[in-house]
């Protein structure tokens, strides 16, 4: 009689290193040490060390060199990172898929949105959704970089550009216009420019090293960071400074009205952002995904109409 095959050891599958080893590998990359990776994953440092030894042996390449600052990844290790991250996204997608049946309104939906949409626009929208569907948990990734829906980094994305991949389902909620705004207290103290050419005689809030709007509308200026009295690459930070009365800046009209800001020189800008709701076509069979997709489409369309 033959005995049953023994299970793979140290995270090795029958065809090579398994997800457990690559998960440990990603943790070491992100944390910079075996001890940090162990804390992040809730494992012991010797376990992480064994995973790295086994992974190096299986692949036949060194992955890390020791330095004063910790473990430094080799070129071979860095080449593995995007593939390991794809495995991590797939594993997370599998976990989300397992949290609820396709035709039930329960489980988890993972969203991704830009900084301003995610922090200033979505919270009340998602709160209304939760009130209607309390068995659906939500995850939100805030990023101005488009997450890869084909790789399942997220289930549903709110994007400011139309997606081009054919495997994605997309619906345009509308467009939201942007304009020059100031806080009433700033306007009371310093007045507001009455002509476009007077805009930069005021402290203007703008980008630092990552411009998103180089030449908006009729400003007709090659914008650079030296023109701004306050610089930050975070849209949320720029908006916070605008609401604090630091100076003048650009924001979405619905947000400005909501927060009591004063819009001025409306013809100075001719700039609007499209808002798209996007998901992978395979998720259309999931009830919770359809519920969230339709809810976002309705509420974001209403938001765009305010602008």
């Amino acid at each position: 009689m033959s005995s049953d095959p023994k299970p793979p050891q140290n995270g090795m599958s029958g065809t090579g290193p398994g997800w457990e080893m690559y998960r440990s590998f990603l943790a070491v990359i992100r944390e910079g040490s075996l001890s940090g990776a162990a804390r992040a994953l809730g494992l012991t440092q010797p376990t992480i060390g064994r995973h790295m030894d086994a992974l190096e042996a299986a692949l036949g390449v060194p992955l890390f060199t020791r330095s004063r600052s910790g473990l430094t990844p080799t070129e071979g290790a860095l080449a593995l990172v995007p593939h390991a991250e794809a495995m991590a996204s797939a594993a997370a997608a599998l976990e989300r898929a397992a949290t609820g049946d396709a035709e039930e309104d329960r489980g988890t939906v993972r969203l991704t949105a830009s900084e301003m949409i995610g922090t200033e626009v979505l919270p009340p929208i998602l709160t209304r959704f939760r009130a209607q569907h309390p068995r659906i948990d939500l995850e939100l990734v805030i990023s101005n970089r488009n997450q890869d829906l084909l790789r399942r980094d997220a289930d549903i994305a709110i994007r400011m550009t139309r997606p081009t991949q054919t495997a994605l389902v997309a619906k345009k909620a509308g467009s939201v216009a942007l304009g020059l705004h100031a806080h009433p207290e700033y306007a009371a103290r310093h007045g507001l420019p009455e002509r476009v050419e007077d805009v930069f005689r005021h402290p203007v809030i703008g980008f630092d090293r990552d411009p998103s709007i180089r030449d908006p509308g009729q400003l007709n200026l090659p914008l650079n960071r030296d023109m701004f009295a306050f610089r930050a690459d975070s849209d949320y930070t720029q908006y916070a400074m605008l609401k604090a009365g630091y100076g003048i800046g650009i924001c979405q009209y619905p947000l400005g009205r909501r927060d009591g800001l004063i819009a001025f020189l409306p013809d100075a800008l001719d700039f609007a952002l499209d808002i798209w709701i996007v998901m992978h076509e395979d998720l259309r069979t999931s009830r919770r995904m359809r519920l969230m997709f339709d809810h976002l489409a309705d509420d974001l369309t209403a938001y765009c109409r305010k602008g």
Side-chain angles (χ1 to χ4, degrees):
M1 295 180 62
S2 61
S3 60
D4 292 335
K6 294 181 179 181
Q9 301 296 316
N10 297 324
M12 296 288 289
S13 67
T15 57
W19 163 235
E20 284 295 315
M21 294 174 60
Y22 282 109
R23 185 179 70 153
S24 296
F25 166 75
L26 275 179
V28 176
I29 288 284
R30 292 165 178 168
E31 302 296 329
S33 67
L34 298 179
S35 59
R39 286 192 299 271
L41 296 180
L43 301 174
T44 65
Q45 183 171 334
T47 298
I48 300 293
R50 286 195 298 272
H51 284 177
M52 294 304 94
D53 291 342
L55 187 59
E56 287 184 331
L59 300 177
V61 295
L63 297 177
F64 298 95
T65 58
R66 293 190 177 276
S67 65
R68 293 180 179 178
S69 58
L71 295 179
T72 302
T74 64
E75 290 186 6
L78 294 176
L80 291 176
V81 169
H83 304 290
E85 289 179 337
M87 293 177 69
S89 296
L94 283 170
E95 185 175 347
R96 293 196 300 274
T99 62
D101 295 333
E103 289 305 315
E104 291 192 7
D105 60 342
R106 67 179 180 89
T108 301
V109 178
R110 186 173 178 85
L111 306 168
T112 181
S114 66
E115 194 174 37
M116 284 301 292
I117 294 295
T119 57
E120 292 289 340
V121 179
L122 284 187
I125 293 176
L126 299 184
T127 300
R128 287 190 290 272
F129 182 84
R130 175 70 180 184
Q132 297 169 16
H133 307 285
R135 298 195 302 169
I136 298 179
D137 296 330
L138 304 180
E139 299 173 352
L140 178 58
V141 179
I142 300 295
S143 175
N144 289 332
R145 178 179 63 88
N146 284 343
Q147 301 292 307
D148 193 342
L149 297 186
L150 299 182
R151 207 173 64 180
R152 302 299 174 84
D153 290 342
D155 300 317
I156 299 176
I158 297 91
R159 292 183 175 172
M160 318 314 285
T161 57
R162 184 173 188 170
T164 57
Q165 298 97 325
T166 56
L168 300 180
V169 177
K171 182 173 183 178
K172 184 178 179 181
S175 299
V176 59
L178 286 79
L180 291 166
H181 289 76
H183 192 277
E185 291 183 4
Y186 175 86
R189 291 195 309 266
H190 305 286
L192 294 174
E194 298 181 356
R195 302 176 304 170
V196 171
E197 51 266 34
D198 294 333
V199 167
F200 284 96
R201 294 180 181 176
H202 291 256
V204 178
I205 299 165
F207 62 80
D208 182 16
R209 298 182 179 179
D210 185 21
S212 58
I213 306 174
R214 283 284 188 185
D215 182 15
Q218 299 178 28
L219 291 182
N220 196 28
L221 293 170
L223 299 181
N224 64 76
R225 65 188 301 275
D226 295 332
M227 303 171 74
F228 303 120
F230 179 86
R231 311 184 210 26
D233 285 334
S234 163
D235 296 335
Y236 183 76
T237 301
Q238 291 182 26
Y239 190 58
M241 296 303 291
L242 182 59
K243 291 191 294 181
Y246 183 93
I248 63 177
I250 297 172
C251 76
Q252 300 173 23
Y253 278 106
L255 293 181
R257 280 200 292 274
R258 182 198 71 184
D259 293 329
L261 302 181
I262 298 174
F264 62 94
L265 291 177
D267 296 330
L269 294 181
D270 181 16
F271 188 80
L273 294 172
D274 293 339
I275 298 181
W276 292 82
I277 302 97
V278 189
M279 73 176 178
H280 195 284
E281 62 182 1
D282 291 349
L283 297 179
R284 286 184 295 185
T285 58
S286 170
R287 175 170 168 76
R288 68 182 185 277
M289 300 299 174
R290 294 197 310 270
L291 288 169
M292 173 56 75
F293 189 94
D294 293 343
H295 179 81
L296 289 171
D298 290 343
D299 278 28
L300 288 174
T301 296
Y303 173 76
C304 290
R305 287 173 180 163
K306 294 178 182 177

